[in-house]
């Protein structure tokens, strides 16, 4: 999920088998072609990969499904993990991660619009398949087990999501926990987004550093054109706030093909970390 692109690049292989009684077996294997080109030694799998069962009792995925923290963040912005949304700077590794190896995720059926989710990731040798600001092949490691709990509610134009990410105590690492709350509301041609985070800074393994953040965004559609604007901020204990301002315009030739131009201004906790990025490209999905 490289932050210099409008959207993630992915080659995905999916399969289902009808087991009867409303239940099906699922399998997915995802490849990031940019990662393969950069670092063959890392391995072929760098995206969502799992086997599972889905049906009337919910959806169970085993392997490295997307984290609850990631899907909750997605409800707070139209930018996804691309430039402008602030995920790479203000969320990944700090309040959530993209996915975990050796993890299991369960999502309940919807009860009057409410869905409950639970994810458990094995600790000690767990590797977190996540992308940093600079490269598309970084691996983040952690010693403690991770537990994620999520709630999502949908009612017409309103979507609300909540996630709690908890790292278990391990060796000299203290127990840490962070929360994400996200929402969006569709007004027709315009959708409004908002989110907030609070709790421990998950990337701090020793000191009791806490973080607090917020983000807002808007998406407006005019015919084939989508206009996006957003602002994200996070402040850690004892440090200056870091901020992300994002703008993007998409021209949709069809449902699967679009061209885009995007801009991101990142103001870091120190001046040396400040960045400005522009992306221009063509996006194709199948």
């Amino acid at each position: 999920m490289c932050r210099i692109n409008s959207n993630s690049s992915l080659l995905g292989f999916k399969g289902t088998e009808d087991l009867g009684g409303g239940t099906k077996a699922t399998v997915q294997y995802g490849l990031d072609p940019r990662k393969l080109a950069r670092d063959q030694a890392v391995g072929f799998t760098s995206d969502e990969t799992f086997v599972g069962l889905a049906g009337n009792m919910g959806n169970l995925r085993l392997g490295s499904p997307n984290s609850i923290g990631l899907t909750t963040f997605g409800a707070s912005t139209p930018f996804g993990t691309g430039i402008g949304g602030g995920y790479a700077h203000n969320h990944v590794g700090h309040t959530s991660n993209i996915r975990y190896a050796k993890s299991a995720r369960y999502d309940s059926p919807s009860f009057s619009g409410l869905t409950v989710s639970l994810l458990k990731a094995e600790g000690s040798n767990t590797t977190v398949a996540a992308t940093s600001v600079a490269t598309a092949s970084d691996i983040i490691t952690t010693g403690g087990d991770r537990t994620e709990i999520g709630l999502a509610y949908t009612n017409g134009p309103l979507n609300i999501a909540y996630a709690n990410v908890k790292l278990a105590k391990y060796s000299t690492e203290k127990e840490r926990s962070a929360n994400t709350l996200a929402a969006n509301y569709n007004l027709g041609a315009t959708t409004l987004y908002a989110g907030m985070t609070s709790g421990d800074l998950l990337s701090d393994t020793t000191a009791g550093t806490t973080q607090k953040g917020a983000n807002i965004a808007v998406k407006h559609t005019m015919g084939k054109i989508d206009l996006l604007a957003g602002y994200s901020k996070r402040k850690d204990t004892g440090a200056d706030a870091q901020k992300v301002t994002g703008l993007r315009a998409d021209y949709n030739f069809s449902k699967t093909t679009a061209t885009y131009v995007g801009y991101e201004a990142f103001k870091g906790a120190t001046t040396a970390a400040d960045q400005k990025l522009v992306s221009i490209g063509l996006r194709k999905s199948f």
Side-chain angles (χ1 to χ4, degrees):
M1 294 190 176
C2 185
R3 61 182 298 281
I4 60 173
N5 288 333
S6 169
N7 283 61
S8 300
S9 294
L10 169 67
L11 296 175
F13 302 88
K14 300 180 181 181
T16 61
E17 178 186 2
D18 189 350
L19 303 178
T23 301
K24 61 182 179 180
T26 61
V27 61
Q28 180 168 322
Y29 191 90
L31 305 175
D32 186 336
R34 295 159 304 147
K35 184 172 180 180
L36 298 179
R38 288 182 184 219
D39 193 351
Q40 292 283 356
V42 173
F44 291 98
T45 300
S46 60
D47 206 275
E48 190 175 23
T49 301
F50 59 83
V51 294
L53 293 172
N56 297 329
M57 298 301 292
N59 186 8
L60 174 66
R61 287 167 283 176
L62 308 175
S64 57
N66 285 341
S67 71
I68 298 171
L70 174 65
T71 54
T72 299
F73 169 81
S76 72
T77 176
F79 288 91
T81 57
I83 75 164
Y87 186 72
H89 292 294
N90 289 340
H91 293 270
V92 65
H94 308 301
T95 59
S96 68
N97 279 300
I98 294 173
R99 62 187 67 88
Y100 314 93
K102 304 177 184 177
S103 64
R105 174 172 172 170
Y106 171 75
D107 298 278
S108 76
S110 176
F111 301 99
S112 300
L114 179 66
T115 302
V116 180
S117 301
L118 175 66
L119 182 146
K120 186 72 175 181
E122 181 183 348
S124 186
N125 295 318
T126 298
T127 56
V128 182
T131 302
S132 75
V133 174
T135 80
S137 57
D138 284 356
I139 300 295
I140 299 173
T141 60
T142 182
D145 291 348
R146 294 202 177 208
T147 302
E148 298 193 358
I149 298 173
L151 296 172
Y153 177 72
T154 298
N155 186 357
L158 175 65
N159 297 283
I160 303 174
Y162 166 80
N164 172 266
V165 182
K166 181 178 180 180
L167 280 68
K169 182 179 179 181
Y170 177 81
S171 184
T172 59
E173 297 181 11
K174 71 182 185 69
E175 181 179 285
R176 286 156 283 156
S177 178
N179 303 292
T180 299
L181 179 65
N184 62 74
Y185 191 88
N186 181 262
L187 299 170
T190 303
T191 304
L192 305 177
Y193 301 81
M196 60 183 297
T197 65
S198 64
D200 297 316
L201 179 61
L202 298 187
S203 57
D204 186 342
T205 62
T206 55
T209 305
T210 61
Q211 56 77 27
K212 182 176 291 186
N215 62 287
I216 56 173
V218 60
K219 177 181 178 180
H220 181 70
T221 299
M222 300 186 301
K224 294 185 176 182
I225 299 174
D226 294 329
L227 301 175
L228 288 67
Y231 175 81
S232 175
K233 177 181 179 180
R234 191 188 91 238
K235 187 180 187 309
D236 303 336
T237 303
D240 291 336
Q242 54 186 46
K243 308 168 185 177
V244 176
T245 301
L247 300 170
R248 199 176 87 208
D250 296 352
Y251 183 85
N252 300 286
F253 294 104
S254 68
K255 291 183 178 180
T256 59
T257 303
T259 186
Y260 61 86
V261 57
Y263 170 80
E264 175 183 289
F266 170 62
K267 181 174 177 55
T270 62
T271 304
D274 293 354
Q275 294 179 350
K276 292 183 179 180
L277 295 172
V278 174
S279 67
I280 301 174
L282 181 69
R283 183 174 68 247
K284 175 63 180 176
S285 60
F286 300 91

